Amino acid sequence: MSVARIIERLQAAWQEPGAGRRHFGSTMPPFKPIAGSDQDQTVPDGVRNPLWEAVRWMPAEPYWHDATELRPTFCYNAFAKATAGELEHLGASRQHLATTFAWSIVSPGDVTWLTGQLDGRNVVEVGAGSGYWAWQLEQAGVDVAAYDPNPPGEDNKFCTSGPYTTVLRDDSTAVKHHQDRALLMVWPPYDGEHARHALSLYDGDFLIYAGESWGGCTADDGFYDLLDAEWDEVSVAPRHVTWWGIHCQLAAYARKTGGAA
């Protein structure tokens, strides 16, 4: 189903009586879409970001640790049962949008923050999946070498669409061929060695990472141990939008002075 149809149905759902009202007798404020709020972000002319265009119409609420951020939530929490069921069927869900585009949401504000942090650097992305994040950066003028051991189109249940740009087949060792680039990793596999292995092979000095932390749904604790030992967090993307219950942070890291290379 096209994203345009999902957006059209979401927009119509907000016009229905009781839209946004929480169920189960909750006294909390109703859900609202990010679209039209002071948290909304406009996709620049000539740029395509269908994931964000859909997400901004999902029901949203302040994120758990920072009221300036919003997180899209499930349609069943905000719309009538029949409407929510139709939206689920169309693909207005985290599972569908994540497997179609990317597991971490990238907004226009994130792209602006990313290009500012990169400051002209080229990028190597390992575990690029559909290439969606690489595509967003390329539309902003960043040169990205994207790799994944299982590109889309090969019965990959975690990445069902794309690629949105060129994604070459290679595992975490691909980083060895691009030591002069910034390293990008987005939502690496849960409890897997991929992220730790890539970071251990990387001799460069700048990392951008989107995911959770120790004990979360991304990477393994060995990755976070290495990150803590050899890298300093230098910036966190403001207003990074994440799914309900998903504590995703988008951050930039510089190698510690005197750290292993």
Side-chain angles (χ1 to χ4, degrees):
M1 180 59 64
S2 72
V3 174
R5 180 67 185 106
I6 293 173
I7 295 170
E8 179 183 30
R9 186 63 186 92
L10 280 165
Q11 291 172 332
W14 286 110
Q15 303 304 313
E16 297 177 3
R21 185 174 59 212
R22 295 173 187 260
H23 299 170
F24 314 114
S26 174
T27 59
M28 296 179 66
F31 295 105
K32 296 181 179 180
I34 295 172
S37 74
D38 59 1
Q39 304 292 322
D40 201 3
Q41 301 169 24
T42 302
V43 176
D45 290 342
V47 171
R48 295 181 59 210
N49 189 344
L51 172 59
W52 174 250
E53 291 289 8
V55 163
R56 60 192 288 270
W57 285 104
M58 298 281 286
E61 63 180 344
Y63 191 36
W64 70 281
H65 76 289
D66 188 340
T68 67
E69 294 182 335
L70 296 174
R71 58 181 180 179
T73 190
F74 305 105
C75 291
Y76 281 99
N77 295 338
F79 301 124
K81 184 176 181 180
T83 297
E86 183 181 349
L87 286 164
E88 180 83 14
H89 177 72
L90 289 174
S93 68
R94 176 188 177 233
Q95 179 69 22
H96 175 78
L97 294 173
T99 56
T100 300
F101 299 111
W103 284 85
S104 180
I105 298 165
V106 55
S107 71
D110 289 336
V111 175
T112 298
W113 176 86
L114 283 161
T115 56
Q117 293 300 310
L118 290 168
D119 193 25
R121 294 179 180 90
N122 296 329
V123 169
V124 55
E125 182 181 10
V126 293
S130 70
Y132 192 85
W133 277 63
W135 179 43
Q136 294 304 304
L137 284 172
E138 287 171 348
Q139 290 183 94
V142 179
D143 185 281
V144 183
Y147 297 89
D148 195 278
N150 299 296
E154 300 178 6
D155 196 28
N156 185 338
K157 66 180 180 179
F158 299 109
C159 184
T160 59
S161 295
Y164 295 94
T165 188
T166 300
V167 178
L168 300 176
R169 183 192 300 276
D170 207 344
D171 57 19
S172 54
T173 61
V175 73
K176 295 191 297 183
H177 308 302
H178 301 282
Q179 301 286 12
D180 59 329
R181 293 177 177 240
L183 173 60
L184 170 65
M185 286 188 283
V186 177
W187 209 256
Y190 169 60
D191 204 25
E193 300 179 354
H194 164 87
R196 172 164 48 89
H197 192 212
L199 193 59
S200 69
L201 295 174
Y202 179 57
D203 291 338
D205 62 1
F206 200 74
L207 165 70
I208 291 177
Y209 175 71
E212 297 197 312
S213 187
W214 278 279
C217 295
T218 48
D220 62 4
D221 285 349
F223 167 77
Y224 299 109
D225 291 340
L226 183 60
L227 190 64
D228 184 60
E230 298 186 5
W231 297 82
D232 287 322
E233 182 181 279
V234 294
S235 183
V236 175
R239 298 184 178 182
H240 176 61
V241 175
T242 186
W243 295 105
W244 187 92
I246 302 299
H247 305 148
C248 183
Q249 177 175 276
L250 174 59
Y253 298 83
R255 188 181 294 279
K256 290 181 178 180
T257 303

